[in-house]
Amino acid sequence: MADAASRLVSVAEQLLGAPLPVRVRAWDGSQAGPPGAPVIVVRNRRALRRMLFKPGELGMARAWVAGDLDIEGDLYTALGAMAGLLWEHDDEGGGRSLADTVRDPAARAAVRDLIRLVGPPLPPAPPREEVRRRRHLHTRRTDKRAISHHYDVGNDFYSLVLGPSMVYSCAYWEDDGSLESAQRDKLELVCRKLGLKPGQRLLDVGCGWGSMAVHAAREHGVSVVGVTLSQEQAAFARKRVAEEGLTDRVEIRVQDYRDVRDGPYDAISSIGMAEHVGAERYLDYARDLYGLLRPGGRLLNHQIARRPQQDESAYEVDAFIDSYVFPDGELAPIGTTVTMLERAGFEARDVESLREHYARTLRAWVTNLEGDWARATRLAGFGRARVWRLYMAASALAFERNQIGVNQVLAVRTPETGTSGLPARTRTWNG
């Protein structure tokens, strides 16, 4: 009988109807697949059971998080090969459809061989890091639970990944800049777009660990209210504000943005927060922020976007992201976002894509994580650290390949006079 690796490669190629672009090393020490290709390590039969009972991305993610499946060598190279195999397969017109697989006697025989190789067909329990998927309600309670899952991993873990800036959104890079300087430049870019001036009031929605609030208060003399649903973020941000001597100008609240009632504000920043709002409630989100701004006030909405689909009703949230990273997170095309903001009453004045900047930021975070891997696993746990490594590396590739993007939309609550208050040449803020 053939060794395990050869059987796995044979089964995979039968099911896919295409050559396997990776090499496989199985639990019995056998190897098969193209020489020199990235190596997928199948540590035990449990990895196969996970993929058999949950075919596709989620089954592979469960095997990865549990440590049943691993990658030898460069993570990006391996993910790039697997992305072309799994996620871009249909778009390229290669391989076989599921219907073809069911009709093909050889493919059915391959499945039977896989079942024999797997052993007793009992589905393993999902890793404990997995959140049970549910309908995206986006109530105050479910949003708080989702935010807690993602952000209350531990401030020390995020400090390791993000570095001293503690900014968890894409940086704004110079060619040879550091991550810290690039994050500082991004915060300054937001402040310049908002036109912040001493004495103004800024609302920072989803304020994270307080980086934007501190920068705006310290560098531009504004008073800031930052709101977050994460207790850990708020504690860190408040300590940071106190250390900077800014307690008279910065207030950090554990509060849902829907409960903010002390407007009007001169400006609102929403950086990497709107992805959590959800399509059904996005117009309400935009209207809430519009109502909190004074006439002439500005909103800077910094948000990840997906590519539009021919049939938008067919959009499904990514299974791995929803189950392990951002429960209830949803992405929308940039056109949809701008439309919703304008339906709420805003005038969209500027849209800037920072897609390549986010790819570089994610690679920097992965470098930080891998550079202190032992400490990362102690802080977050083995499974959670593996979630973040896979999520960030795969996301970097997605940004690089234009599968997702990130945009800053500057919008104004333009008064009835039509005076936006913006300079005639707005892009001077990029200089």
Side-chain angles (χ1 to χ4, degrees):
M1 180 176 289
D3 57 54
S6 297
R7 292 171 69 186
L8 286 175
V9 170
S10 176
V11 168
E13 292 183 342
Q14 285 284 354
L15 295 176
L16 295 165
L20 197 65
V22 295
R23 192 165 176 80
V24 173
R25 174 179 295 141
W27 57 89
D28 62 355
S30 62
Q31 294 191 50
V39 178
I40 305 300
V41 182
V42 184
R43 298 198 180 280
N44 48 55
R45 288 182 173 86
R46 188 170 55 248
L48 303 182
R49 294 190 192 107
R50 294 187 188 279
M51 291 184 279
L52 187 63
F53 281 92
K54 188 61 72 170
E57 181 181 339
L58 186 56
M60 293 189 69
R62 287 175 173 175
W64 167 270
V65 173
D68 301 328
L69 193 71
D70 217 332
I71 289 172
E72 185 177 279
D74 183 69
L75 179 61
Y76 297 103
T77 302
L79 289 177
M82 296 299 290
L85 177 69
L86 294 173
W87 299 292
E88 299 162 17
H89 199 57
D90 292 339
D91 296 338
E92 295 171 359
R96 67 168 81 241
S97 69
L98 178 60
D100 290 337
T101 299
V102 171
R103 286 192 294 263
D104 185 353
R108 294 200 301 270
V111 172
R112 289 195 295 271
D113 188 37
L114 179 61
I115 292 173
R116 286 193 294 270
L117 184 60
V118 164
L122 297 175
R128 61 185 178 85
E129 292 80 9
E130 182 172 316
V131 174
R132 187 167 59 184
R133 302 179 72 196
R134 56 196 180 276
R135 191 166 70 88
H136 300 146
L137 299 175
H138 291 287
T139 64
R140 284 168 171 77
R141 180 179 179 183
T142 60
D143 283 354
K144 189 177 179 100
R145 186 168 59 226
I147 292 298
S148 178
H149 172 85
H150 187 79
Y151 292 104
D152 290 342
V153 178
N155 293 332
D156 289 341
F157 174 76
Y158 273 106
S159 180
L160 183 156
V161 174
L162 304 180
S165 67
M166 289 298 283
V167 179
Y168 192 26
S169 56
C170 90
Y172 191 60
W173 295 86
E174 296 284 352
D175 287 341
D176 57 351
S178 66
L179 174 61
E180 285 67 41
S181 64
Q183 290 291 15
R184 183 178 61 249
D185 288 348
K186 191 276 297 298
L187 298 176
E188 182 60 22
L189 177 66
V190 172
C191 291
R192 292 201 302 270
K193 288 183 176 182
L194 290 172
L196 298 181
K197 298 178 179 60
Q200 289 186 330
R201 297 185 75 212
L202 169 68
L203 174 64
D204 187 26
V205 179
C207 67
W209 292 271
S211 300
M212 176 65 190
V214 167
H215 182 90
R218 184 183 60 217
E219 303 298 330
H220 295 270
V222 297
S223 296
V224 187
V225 171
V227 296
T228 176
L229 295 179
S230 167
Q231 294 283 353
E232 289 200 29
Q233 284 185 335
F236 185 98
R238 287 166 180 159
K239 182 174 182 292
R240 194 174 183 184
V241 167
E243 290 172 349
E244 291 278 351
L246 295 171
T247 53
D248 60 330
R249 276 186 278 165
V250 178
E251 178 187 2
I252 303 296
R253 305 173 184 168
V254 178
Q255 185 179 35
D256 193 296
Y257 73 93
R258 290 166 286 197
D259 296 327
V260 176
R261 297 286 184 268
D262 59 348
Y265 289 85
D266 299 288
I268 298 176
S269 54
S270 178
I271 305 173
M273 176 270 172
E275 297 89 343
H276 299 285
V277 172
E280 291 185 5
R281 299 192 180 273
Y282 200 92
L283 184 57
D284 293 333
Y285 156 82
R287 285 171 173 161
D288 284 341
L289 299 192
Y290 184 86
L292 286 167
L293 275 174
R294 65 165 175 80
R298 302 181 191 180
L299 164 70
L300 193 288
N301 190 77
H302 177 118
Q303 180 177 341
I304 298 172
R306 61 176 172 83
R307 302 293 296 170
Q309 298 184 358
Q310 291 295 329
D311 179 9
E312 279 294 315
S313 65
Y315 167 66
E316 293 184 359
V317 177
D318 181 275
F320 169 61
I321 299 294
D322 195 37
S323 299
Y324 285 97
V325 186
F326 288 109
D328 292 352
E330 296 179 62
L331 301 183
I334 178 59
T336 301
T337 296
V338 171
T339 296
M340 289 295 183
L341 291 173
E342 294 216 317
R343 283 183 61 189
F346 284 105
E347 179 189 9
R349 294 299 304 245
D350 185 83
V351 178
E352 182 175 5
S353 171
L354 302 180
R355 178 172 63 83
E356 293 88 350
H357 292 270
Y358 216 159
R360 185 171 173 182
T361 304
L362 284 155
R363 283 182 176 263
W365 290 342
V366 172
T367 297
N368 288 345
L369 178 64
E370 293 178 339
D372 205 350
W373 181 250
R375 181 166 178 259
T377 57
R378 288 198 303 271
L379 291 171
F382 174 80
R384 186 63 65 87
R386 286 176 69 82
V387 166
W388 254 246
R389 184 174 178 235
L390 177 62
Y391 155 64
M392 293 190 298
S395 296
L397 291 176
F399 280 106
E400 289 167 358
R401 296 179 177 204
N402 192 29
Q403 293 167 341
I404 53 175
V406 62
N407 305 280
Q408 289 188 350
V409 180
L410 178 65
V412 179
R413 180 173 173 168
T414 305
E416 292 182 2
T417 61
T419 304
S420 69
L422 286 167
R425 295 188 177 185
T426 53
R427 285 300 176 93
T428 55
W429 52 55
N430 289 44

